[in-house]
Amino acid sequence: MTATRRIELTRPVVAWLAVSLLMVVLLHARQQPLWVCGGFLALVLWRILHAWRGVPLPTRDHRMLWLLKHALAIGIFWVVYRRFGGVIGRDAGISLLILLIGLKLLEMKSQREFVLVALLGFFLLVTAFFYSQSIPVAVYALACVAALLGSMVAMALPARARAVGANLRLAGTLMLQAAPLMLIAFVLFPRPGSPLWTLPKDARHAVSGLSEEMSPGELTRLTMSDAVAFRAAFSTNRPSVAEMYWRGPVLVKTDGRTWTPGEPSDRPAPAITAQGVRYSYSITLEPTDRPWIYALEHPSSLPRGTRLSRDLRVLSGRPITDRIRYSAESYTQAWVAEADSEELRAALQLPPDAHPRAQALARQWRREDRSDEGVVRRALQRFRDEPFVYTLSPREIHGDPVDGFLFGTRQGFCEHYASAFTVLMRAAQIPARIVTGYQGGEYNPVGDYYIVRQRDAHAWVEVWLGHRGWVRVDPTAAVAPARVQRGIDQALPGLGATVGEAAADLAVDFAAWRELRYAYDALNNRWNHWVISYNARRQSAMFDEFGLRADWRALALLLGAALLLAGTLLVAWSLRGRRVHGDAIARAYRRFCTKLARRGHPRAPHEGPMDYARRVGAALPAAAADIARITGLYARARYGPGSSGADAQALRSAVRRFAP
Amino acid sequence: MASATAAGVRGRAEVSPPPRIAVRVLPNRYGWLMLLVLGVMLLGSINYNNNLGYALTFLLMGVWVMAHVHGYRNLRGIEVLGARATPVFVGEEAVFEVFVCNSSARASHGLAISAGMVTTDMFEVAAGDSHTARLSFPAQRRGVLPLPPVTIASGFPLAIGTARIGWRGEASATVYPHPAGALPLPETDDPAAAAAGYALSGDTDFAGLRAYRTGDSLRQIAWKALARERGLHVKRFAGGVAAQVELRLRDLRFIGDPETQLSQLARWVMDAERAGISYSLDLDHVLLPAGVGEAHREFCLQALAHYGPPS
């Protein structure tokens, strides 16, 4: 039975926890409303002021403050409820957690409450990963863990709470020693394929990316985003940027303004005729929440579990909610010469009353030129010759969007060109459809891959030219060849509209900075691949390589065995170390004591040397003089002023000669 | 416990040798609470398939394990060398000194010793160093006050687990009867001394050295002679005429219960000692011949402490 002593929470101990919690809450500052973080800061300051200035805490002794605290607690629930429409969702739950930790900090008097608050701090930290799992967040989280563990050390040893460095070192040691166990558990812990329970509605980020619908302004919005859509690494040779058309949704139906896909078809994908170089590559796709993935036009080999649709999209079957990585092979020189009449009829559909001027123009071309290629050429010629401008911010079009663009503003982005071109083709009885996707990419020499960002979103056109099948025509290239050949950054200088991005663009000019950015992106890619995207599939793939079947039973067994082994090694390693046996003086004196003990006079543990000498001297009168002399030598060597090596030497030889 | 152990010299109580001590380390309630929180964190990480969540949870689980290893290591070199207590009178606080040493190469932090309901403040012992912890217990009954089993515990490093070593030494404190009673010292047998009015054997005139004999007062040891390596001697003084009183239990049969009688005897011993009168103690079956000085007083008080079974 142990009587435990109540441990006071001294100022440094409280300060430790306050600072650690502020660090954790700072991680949430980006997502949480300002009043949540501000409120937390105020509560922390209250606690700090109490510790340093004696400002009263809301205890029962201060009735008004006590009531205020309860009012605050109720108020927090109410405000969070109003703000988020509930207290269950992710954001609301975290707001609530932050503020309740703040309140708990006010109540904190004992060790028990301290530990509870510190543990809640760890919990709050893990919720930050729902928002971001980037490298900076991970590094910062490690600092937070060290601070929280340091707080716990400070609480366990209040007398040493001020030794900030020592406490952090101890926390760091614990974390370092825990790292092997963490790695083993991370790799071997069986990952379930699906969530255990339904995730709250706001569990996932709102992802930006291509949708299956295109109306004017749709892609323009995407091009404002620097976010990475996917990264593509080519294994051997890589195509030129101008050849990189990453195919996404194919849009067939139109109401004159908005384009949508055609009726889904169960028919198998058409045959692809390919020639030239085959490119094999792997793509790390950021979550899109959409049931398709991107591949280079046109793929010859697809990742497992996907299929090619009739309109040559790669369908994944279920929405991509997590970052995935897949490999594919493509030929950039490939044709599809297979289509049925239904498809071609759909690719000629136009709303009867829409775009009268464009339709009239196309019919005129048709009359003048019998070949389809001739009509295509005329349309592209028109984009080149007339003063068309490729711009992200076109003047507003009133009335019919296609007529207004072709004959009025003549300013537009790829979506304007693609839809106008398709309308012209269809009016000239040439089947045509819009293909959306991404075009190009930024090469990262450090990681040897292409970064394709949201702003690389693009729309182009496929026309059906009888004998040649579906042929890709990119009307944007007629207006702004640079867009396709060198990427969107070159075609639209000053793309970054916001101040921050403008500054970044300036900085991009510095080669070193660019290099650094690439290195960082490459690091991010590795991180995403090895850490963030590690999942059930990757786990079983890894075990396949070792010829093991990765069912959860085998994993659990392996996990247990590995943890046991590593744990044993760790414990053995950290428990190594010998007993101290003191210096030469202590050794000599101990030898002296041993000699006396053999004569039946052991030194009692608590007995000082002088007491011992007196007792043994009386018991062994013959040796009393020697005993007293050696004890005197020992005292001089150990405690005497200016004791030197000579004293120790004299003691050693005296002990050696000593024979009681 | 009737036999008066003659070995007892004040400050030299029973000491037992240090036995090999096993460290036990177990999670305390904070440790279990932390596991609970980590379990919730793991569930959340599984459900959201959040790999950094997994990593943090596993890291903290590793820290949890290592904290217990550190707790074990913190106490591993700690040994209890022994414990002792100086005799006290009933009503006083018996202070046990527990001698702790750290034979490991690392400092031991956040130690607290507890025995019975008493716990010391936290202390630490540097590598190879020792520490004397003091535990005081109220001495309520005459006789022997044993030290309850001793536990050294530490929550180092995170207070989520408690490492403990137990020690069951034979240390005890002798509790003398409370010196009380209004009776004056009995009449002296020596009329001359009585006439001298208890002339003090004050340590007045130095009369030379004689060899140390067990039981001699420490105050009389010739420390200078010892330092000159001439062996243990005591100083002798020529004082006044030593008076002598006989303190007999049977003379007190007429007052109160036996404890009251023993208290009166203790009072007399103290008074005689202060007056420097040579006194003998007669407890019927124990007879201590006349003498004076600290050692003699200890003998007498010990005999009183251990007299018969306490009522």
Side-chain angles (χ1 to χ4, degrees), chain A residues 102-300:
Chain A
L103 277 184
K104 196 76 201 155
L105 208 55
L106 289 188
E107 289 182 351
M108 188 177 74
K109 285 191 295 288
S110 67
Q111 207 181 18
R112 190 175 62 98
E113 284 142 340
F114 185 98
V115 173
L116 187 68
V117 173
L119 292 178
L120 286 177
F122 285 123
F123 190 79
L124 185 62
L125 186 58
V126 87
T127 60
F129 297 146
F130 295 150
Y131 297 96
S132 169
Q133 301 190 70
S134 67
I135 297 174
V137 165
V139 170
Y140 185 77
L142 278 182
C144 291
V145 172
L148 282 167
L149 289 176
S151 308
M152 291 175 78
V153 174
M155 186 258 316
L157 300 174
R160 295 169 77 93
R162 279 174 203 279
V164 176
N167 286 0
L168 285 180
R169 237 186 340 270
L170 179 56
T173 308
L174 282 169
M175 287 162 71
L176 272 181
Q177 292 175 343
L181 300 176
M182 176 196 76
L183 276 179
I184 290 171
F186 184 84
V187 173
L188 294 180
F189 186 82
R191 299 296 205 282
S194 57
L196 302 177
W197 67 87
T198 322
L199 300 177
K201 274 200 293 289
D202 57 356
R204 303 201 183 278
H205 307 264
V207 285
S208 67
L210 284 177
S211 66
E212 280 188 305
E213 197 181 283
M214 191 182 83
S215 45
E218 189 80 30
L219 293 187
T220 320
R221 185 182 51 77
L222 271 186
T223 52
M224 298 297 183
S225 165
D226 239 357
V228 173
F230 54 87
R231 295 179 175 88
F234 290 88
S235 56
T236 45
N237 34 26
R238 44 181 205 254
S240 71
V241 170
E243 287 178 291
M244 287 187 199
Y245 281 87
W246 310 97
R247 193 180 178 98
V250 177
L251 310 177
V252 178
K253 278 198 279 192
T254 176
D255 62 355
R257 181 177 183 82
T258 304
W259 293 80
T260 49
E263 296 302 323
S265 167
D266 295 336
R267 297 167 58 88
I272 297 172
T273 317
Q275 72 172 57
V277 188
R278 188 181 64 192
Y279 299 106
S280 42
Y281 51 92
S282 64
I283 287 183
T284 311
L285 180 65
E286 299 294 314
T288 59
D289 239 354
R290 315 238 177 236
W292 66 83
I293 61 177
Y294 294 90
L296 208 57
E297 280 185 345
H298 285 291
S300 58

Side-chain angles (χ1 to χ4, degrees), chain A residues 1-3 5 129 133 160 177-178 186 191-192 196-197 199-200 531-532 534 574-575 579-580 606 614, chain B residues 15 20 46-48 50-52 54 62-63 70 73 76 79 84 103 116 119 121 124 157 164 223 232:
Chain A
M1 187 207 83
T2 311
R5 194 165 263 247
F129 297 146
Q133 301 190 70
R160 295 169 77 93
Q177 292 175 343
F186 184 84
R191 299 296 205 282
L196 302 177
W197 67 87
L199 300 177
V531 180
I532 308 306
Y534 187 76
S574 60
L575 289 185
R579 296 178 150 211
V580 284
H606 59 273
R614 248 170 261 140
Chain B
V15 173
R20 202 72 201 136
I46 291 173
N47 205 45
Y48 284 77
N50 189 303
N51 270 349
L52 280 197
Y54 276 117
V63 166
H70 278 245
R73 194 176 71 178
R76 196 175 48 146
E79 285 168 12
R84 66 173 179 192
S103 66
T119 302
D121 280 331
E124 58 179 78
R164 282 194 184 85
W223 295 112
L232 268 176

Side-chain angles (χ1 to χ4, degrees), chain A residues 473-527:
Chain A
V473 179
D474 190 346
T476 310
V479 184
R483 163 66 186 88
V484 176
Q485 280 157 23
R486 274 175 291 168
I488 195 160
D489 288 341
Q490 304 297 322
L492 287 172
L495 181 63
T498 64
V499 178
E501 283 173 336
D505 278 354
L506 276 179
V508 164
D509 291 340
F510 298 103
W513 173 249
R514 187 192 290 263
E515 194 76 357
L516 213 64
R517 240 176 32 134
Y518 284 140
Y520 182 60
D521 192 83
L523 186 67
N524 260 322
N525 192 33
R526 292 267 161 98
W527 173 258

Side-chain angles (χ1 to χ4, degrees), chain B residues 83-124:
Chain B
R84 66 173 179 192
T86 49
V88 288
F89 294 101
V90 168
E92 289 181 344
E93 291 271 300
V95 179
F96 281 92
E97 288 180 313
V98 182
F99 305 99
V100 177
C101 87
N102 178 5
S103 66
S104 75
R106 291 191 186 83
S108 295
H109 304 284
L111 309 178
I113 298 189
S114 54
M117 298 301 289
V118 181
T119 302
T120 64
D121 280 331
M122 271 189 200
F123 61 92
E124 58 179 78

